[in-house]
Amino acid sequence: TIEGLFAVRKAKFSEYPSVPEELDLVNRDDQITFEYGLDDTDLDKQEMLDVFRVDKDFDANEKLWRSIRSEILGESDDSSGGSSGSESDDEDDSDDDEEEGGEGDNWGGPTGVAGHQDSGIVDLTEQDLI
């Protein structure tokens, strides 16, 4: 009831702690917090990070990131099995062929899934209408 809600509010929500004791793992003295105001003038905003810049060494950097990704995820480009290594080389060659052909629709993106997948979701909100 509404009377019960007002009673809880009057008691300053003492029965309902914001952080349960079993989840309060760090002592208040050990916590490191940073408080910034919206009007602080001494902050380094780094506004140049919001500007798009063309990467002239995109292909080299992409290969570097692929090697780092495979190292982190445990994927090995130079597998112990000779046949699996040649298969990955064939896949890389086919990717290069697709990129040279100009077929951007087959690019897998960050997920690695090639091709366009229709989710079946239709936007009926009419937000695009003028």
Side-chain angles (χ1 to χ4, degrees), residues 2 30 60:
I2 192 73
D30 295 336

Side-chain angles (χ1 to χ4, degrees), residues 106-127:
N106 291 338
W107 182 68
T111 59
V113 179
H116 175 70
Q117 295 180 351
D118 189 16
S119 62
I121 298 174
V122 179
D123 182 16
L124 299 175
T125 60
E126 298 180 355
Q127 292 292 323

Side-chain angles (χ1 to χ4, degrees), residues 7-60:
V8 169
R9 180 175 176 256
K10 189 173 185 179
K12 297 187 179 183
F13 302 98
S14 61
E15 297 177 15
Y16 304 98
S18 60
V19 178
E21 290 183 23
E22 59 269 6
L23 295 179
D24 192 12
L25 303 176
V26 180
N27 295 332
R28 291 274 183 202
D29 298 334
D30 295 336
Q31 292 180 358
I32 299 173
T33 58
F34 301 96
E35 296 181 15
Y36 294 109
L38 295 175
D39 57 350
D40 288 345
T41 57
D42 58 334
L43 294 177
D44 183 17
K45 299 176 189 175
Q46 298 181 358
E47 293 178 355
M48 288 303 297
L49 295 177
D50 290 337
V51 178
F52 174 77
R53 285 180 234 124
V54 176
D55 187 7
K56 295 179 182 178
D57 298 327
F58 176 78
D59 293 329

